Amino acid sequence: MREDWIEAIKTIVDENRIRLQEPMSRHTTFRIGGMAEIFLMPTIKEAVDVITLCRAKKIPYTIIGNGSNLLVGDKGIPGVVIEFGANASSIEVKENMIHAEAGALLSKVAHKALEASLGGMEFAAGIPGSIGGAVVMNAGAYGGEMKDILVSADLLTKDGEVVEVPVEEISLSYRHSRVMETGEVVLGVTLKLVSGEKEKIEAVMQELRQKRQEKQPLEFPSAGSTFKRPEGYFAGKLIMDAGLRGYRVGDAQVSEKHCGFVINRGQATAAEVEELMRRVQEKVEQEFQVRLEPEVRRLGEFS
């Protein structure tokens, strides 16, 4: 059966962009994860055709971007993993509008905006994700969110149609969009920015970059903020106040620099990260009666 899948996929995606038993630790910022059974690096058009094939043949498929918000299980991901990466990352700037394919990195889109003297995307310059994933979870930082700049998204529907959907219908809220529930796939986005002075835009980006370097444990692999911000609280402060700064399970550790981050000290497993997260949740709930909800997305099979 697997051979049938691979042969069918080879009619769509060039063989040199298909990898078998690919370590997902190479494709997540956590540097954690077992093997992807079949790993693809398609263009957007190829991705649509592969997803259509997978749906028709009932082949399990998973879509990832830059892997910056993922915890992949130690047993890996069965079926097909479709990476929206370098082959699906074109960026076009027209006046104050930017259209980017889903695999374009936020940092690159923000840099293109800077080159065109367009402001409004400074908050996203340091987020290490792809723009498709940023829309799926309405990524944000330093007071800005994707919903502030998004005009529309090109979505592949469950019926196999590619449609342009206005931002109002995508239901963006804190770390959430309708795409999380519908099974739709973000293929591209259109952003509306504002003309500004290049030097001022660059200064804001530099200031936010410096804040990140000072406050976040960028020297270690992580998946960014581990937990969502509970209403009325900050996850990192609750974890710190619960006495969990530096707390470890194996090589998974609550960052000493910023308690809102779980970091990989070197050889952490997904099982260790999960156990650490569970203990953090229990301790915070016990101390403050607040249940922390994970922001990190689990993918694949866990022990």
Side-chain angles (χ1 to χ4, degrees):
M1 173 60 100
R2 302 305 197 214
E3 287 72 20
D4 291 351
W5 295 358
I6 294 162
E7 288 310 310
I9 289 165
K10 280 181 184 174
T11 66
I12 301 168
V13 181
D14 196 277
E15 204 166 335
N16 64 12
R17 290 185 280 114
I18 301 172
R19 294 179 188 166
L20 305 182
Q21 296 301 316
E22 174 73 3
M24 285 303 296
S25 55
R26 293 179 183 167
H27 302 280
T28 64
T29 56
F30 234 149
R31 299 288 173 254
I32 292 171
M35 303 292 185
E37 193 174 355
I38 304 168
F39 187 89
L40 309 179
M41 297 164 280
T43 64
I44 290 291
K45 168 71 171 69
E46 289 168 345
V48 170
D49 291 344
V50 168
I51 293 165
T52 303
L53 171 77
C54 289
R55 288 173 175 174
K57 292 189 175 290
K58 299 199 168 15
I59 301 169
Y61 68 92
T62 303
I63 292 162
I64 68 164
N66 195 44
S68 59
N69 194 45
L70 302 180
L71 178 63
V72 174
D74 298 319
K75 291 185 175 178
I77 305 178
V80 176
V81 175
I82 300 164
E83 180 193 62
F84 283 172
N87 299 311
S89 63
S90 75
I91 304 165
E92 292 175 28
V93 183
K94 200 169 184 182
E95 296 177 350
N96 67 330
M97 309 286 277
I98 294 182
H99 184 270
E101 290 184 332
L105 293 176
L106 280 169
S107 56
K108 290 200 173 174
V109 180
H111 189 72
K112 286 280 189 187
L114 171 65
E115 284 178 357
S117 300
L118 295 175
M121 211 179 161
E122 295 88 339
F123 75 90
I127 300 175
S130 62
I131 203 147
V135 169
V136 171
M137 65 170 290
N138 187 30
Y142 299 110
E145 292 178 296
M146 288 305 296
K147 71 181 178 71
D148 302 332
I149 57 174
L150 186 69
V151 173
S152 64
D154 305 323
L155 302 182
L156 176 66
T157 69
K158 289 194 84 171
D159 299 327
E161 287 185 88
V162 177
V163 294
E164 185 179 355
V165 180
V167 62
E168 299 79 26
E169 293 176 25
I170 300 173
S171 307
L172 296 179
S173 58
Y174 176 66
R175 302 299 175 265
H176 185 268
S177 73
R178 86 176 199 190
V179 179
M180 289 178 164
E181 274 87 50
T182 59
E184 295 167 306
V185 179
V186 177
L187 303 175
V189 308
T190 300
L191 311 176
K192 186 177 184 179
L193 302 176
V194 290
S195 295
E197 292 179 37
K198 194 171 185 178
E199 293 74 18
K200 287 184 180 176
I201 296 165
E202 193 165 21
V204 173
M205 285 168 70
Q206 181 57 37
E207 183 191 341
L208 296 183
R209 193 178 298 120
Q210 202 166 332
K211 275 188 187 177
R212 271 195 175 83
Q213 287 168 348
E214 287 168 6
K215 295 183 178 178
Q216 297 180 8
L218 303 180
E219 63 274 28
F220 290 102
S222 81
S225 297
T226 307
F227 297 100
K228 294 178 183 176
R229 187 179 67 238
E231 204 169 328
Y233 298 92
F234 290 100
K237 186 164 190 333
L238 288 171
I239 296 165
M240 182 176 69
D241 292 347
L244 294 170
R245 182 194 290 275
Y247 185 76
R248 285 179 76 156
V249 173
D251 259 6
Q253 181 182 36
V254 173
S255 167
E256 294 172 293
K257 193 172 186 181
H258 189 316
C259 293
F261 286 65
V262 168
I263 60 171
N264 177 0
R265 298 276 325 179
Q267 302 297 320
T269 63
E272 288 170 348
V273 172
E274 275 216 310
E275 179 61 18
L276 177 59
M277 288 173 65
R278 187 187 66 76
R279 292 186 195 178
V280 167
Q281 285 173 306
E282 281 182 2
K283 178 73 169 164
V284 167
E285 191 165 21
Q286 184 186 323
E287 294 281 330
F288 305 111
Q289 293 73 58
V290 177
R291 183 70 180 172
L292 293 176
E293 295 297 329
E295 184 169 316
V296 174
R297 187 173 150 227
R298 292 167 89 257
L299 279 187
E301 296 184 339
F302 287 72
S303 304

